[in-house]
Amino acid sequence: MDLDLTGRHALVCGASEGIGRAVAHELALMGADVTVLARRADALAEVADGLPRHGAQRHGWLAADVAATDALRAAVEALAAARPVHILVNNTGGPPGGPASTATAAAYLDAFNRHLIANHTLLQSVLPGMRSAAWGRVVNIVSTSVREPIPNLGVSNTVRGAVASWAKTLSRELAADGITVNNVLPGYTQTRRLEQIIDDRARAGGQDVQAVAEAMRASVPARRFAQPQEIAAVVAFLCSPAAAYVNGVSLPVDGGRMQSI
Ligand code: NAD
């Protein structure tokens, strides 16, 4: 199986910690030159320094806020002009919790901006490079809520569905250019985001944090949370040459938690 990414340049967003950081590590192990993007330069420099490196592999970092669309576009266009990007991993922090019915219009707009509009801005900035290479991989880290909305994540559920539809549409538009577009839907994954969700649920229900975490683990057939590396391995496969004919899918990596087929 061809998993070799030597000579490919990957831009991994939300990579200062959690799933994004684990993805950057996997892609570097497969030989890619990796640029990690998030807001904090100091954290990014540390991540980029720690990435596996063999031979001529060059890693870097780009400090940018995905919510600041114009600055994001300028920064990523400059990056891609200096060094075309062949692999784009769209990923950022999830929207705050709460019911869909009481969320403000501003909360919806903010989430669309950080997810759909940011992904689109990033895609447009790197697409010319992918097209000239006649090779590209776009993987969006979304959520199982694309298929089964999660209670009390109203804004998140809504924007995830929009991202999944955007990606499916793109996958059909870009396939003839040798570019695939896929979504990975993580289940409960041991990161700061999950800790925040558990804390929120415990506070909202007046429950103990440990009890909430235990109930969530019990809802997973595998009876445990994923490690970020387990999500990253699937993302990395979708970025590989071997995955060339996998396009337009939304792939859950959730220990079997979803009920739908
Ligand atoms: P995380 O909070 O651990 O990491 C998020 C990353 O995005 C960090 O590097 C953070 O610095 C970066 N980021 C946040 N806001 C940013 C901004 N405005 N601009 C640039 N970078 C920004 O999250 P995670 O658990 O790794 O999750 C990644 C994605 O997967 C999120 O969208 C999350 O909602 C989703 N997800 C996570 C889980 C889970 O259980 N962890 C489950 C399903 C879906």
Side-chain angles (χ1 to χ4, degrees), residues 14 16-17 19 39 65-66 91-94 142 160 186-187 189 191 193:
S16 62
E17 60 185 303
I19 293 168
R39 287 163 299 184
D65 184 341
V66 300
N91 176 53
T92 186
V142 201
R160 307 298 191 175
T189 309
T191 67
R193 165 75 173 169

Side-chain angles (χ1 to χ4, degrees), residues 75-94:
V76 177
E77 279 181 357
L79 174 81
R83 206 169 162 199
V85 172
H86 308 107
I87 297 168
L88 170 64
V89 178
N90 278 319
N91 176 53
T92 186

